Amino acid sequence: MPPITLQPIASPALLHSFRNHPKLPEHVWYYVMGVTLSALNRPDELSAVLTYALGNGADVSPPPPRASPEKLSTEEQLYIVRRMREGLLKSAAIVGVPKVINAILALKKNTPAHLLDDPDAPSPSGRVAEIYGTPTPTILKRGQTFFERLYGKVSKRVMGQMDRSGTEDLGLTARLMYGYLLSNEKILDAKETSFVAIAGLIPQDVNPQLKGHLRGALNNGATADEIKAVREVVISVCEAAGMRKLDDDNTLGGWGWREQIAEV
């Protein structure tokens, strides 16, 4: 029996509003929306986001010179696809691998063949070379530097909490994720990676972690206005999916936020 068909989320009006958001940095709206949809377990909506981004451009900012006045060049389209895929991949550290598998496979299904990276060629992220050709301490050190920049003066306390959580394996897991996944900046830089974290955390109603990553986005170079814009986009997608602020009269399904969503 096929799964139940859910109400569409990525309407043309919503996509248009995000693409033209005046406070979002360039080339951000589509991967932030993609990560949010993945966190909401709606990989079926990714095709609408990808199609709109490839057909209308990444944002309202003046685009670089195009091969054709009617459509984006292959290079521009490839740039969009890779950033959207990388956002989903990095969100595995935030929303979990199963959702990311479904999202990336859904993205592949709806990506034109000429925009898919050759599986026999090196990935533009360089992660294969990092795993098999770079000493592990080098990658873990990079992850530690990334983590310390993100959390600033509280970084030792945050990592210490995980190390003393009852199993040192939690801290080890965090070090692996930051080393091999999040600190790789070949496609999405540190600021853009912070936007991935925000997009993945808000749908999960995990304010303690969200607060840390909102501050971390500032530490990674984002402005308060940019962070507020990303937060606004993510909340709008969640609300379009049916999430609401829960109260005493609206808790039966548990689908929503139990408290005010953290702000910058």
Side-chain angles (χ1 to χ4, degrees), residues 185-205:
E185 298 187 53
K186 288 186 171 64
I187 298 176
L188 296 180
D189 63 24
K191 180 175 82 169
E192 294 165 334
T193 300
S194 282
F195 297 155
V196 169
I198 293 168
L201 291 168
I202 289 176
Q204 298 183 80
D205 190 26

Side-chain angles (χ1 to χ4, degrees), residues 198-222:
I198 293 168
L201 291 168
I202 289 176
Q204 298 183 80
D205 190 26
V206 284
N207 255 354
Q209 288 72 33
L210 177 59
K211 290 175 183 177
H213 281 278
L214 289 171
R215 289 190 293 268
L218 290 171
N219 293 338
N220 278 333

Side-chain angles (χ1 to χ4, degrees), residues 2-17:
I4 296 172
T5 301
L6 300 176
Q7 193 74 14
I9 298 173
S11 67
L14 199 64
L15 293 164
H16 177 79
S17 68

Side-chain angles (χ1 to χ4, degrees), residues 138-211:
T138 300
I139 302 299
L140 294 181
K141 176 62 177 176
R142 183 186 70 186
Q144 179 182 341
T145 301
F146 189 95
F147 184 88
E148 290 174 351
R149 178 175 57 184
L150 174 72
Y151 282 100
K153 62 183 180 181
V154 301
S155 61
K156 289 185 178 179
R157 175 166 61 83
V158 174
M159 186 59 77
Q161 287 176 335
M162 289 188 280
D163 286 337
R164 296 187 297 273
S165 64
T167 170
E168 63 180 359
D169 291 349
L170 180 59
L172 293 174
T173 300
R175 289 176 174 88
L176 286 170
M177 289 191 300
Y178 274 92
Y180 283 98
L181 192 58
L182 297 175
S183 67
N184 181 307
E185 298 187 53
K186 288 186 171 64
I187 298 176
L188 296 180
D189 63 24
K191 180 175 82 169
E192 294 165 334
T193 300
S194 282
F195 297 155
V196 169
I198 293 168
L201 291 168
I202 289 176
Q204 298 183 80
D205 190 26
V206 284
N207 255 354
Q209 288 72 33
L210 177 59
K211 290 175 183 177

Side-chain angles (χ1 to χ4, degrees), residues 2 7 28 57 59-60 75 83 128 167 211 260:
Q7 193 74 14
V28 164
D59 44 52
V60 74
E75 183 179 353
R83 287 171 65 82
V128 172
T167 170
K211 290 175 183 177
Q260 180 64 35

Side-chain angles (χ1 to χ4, degrees), residues 34 48 58 73 77 95 122 127 138 157 184 204 211 223 228 241 256:
S73 67
Q77 291 183 327
V95 307
R127 285 194 178 90
T138 300
R157 175 166 61 83
N184 181 307
Q204 298 183 80
K211 290 175 183 177
T223 67
K228 289 176 183 177

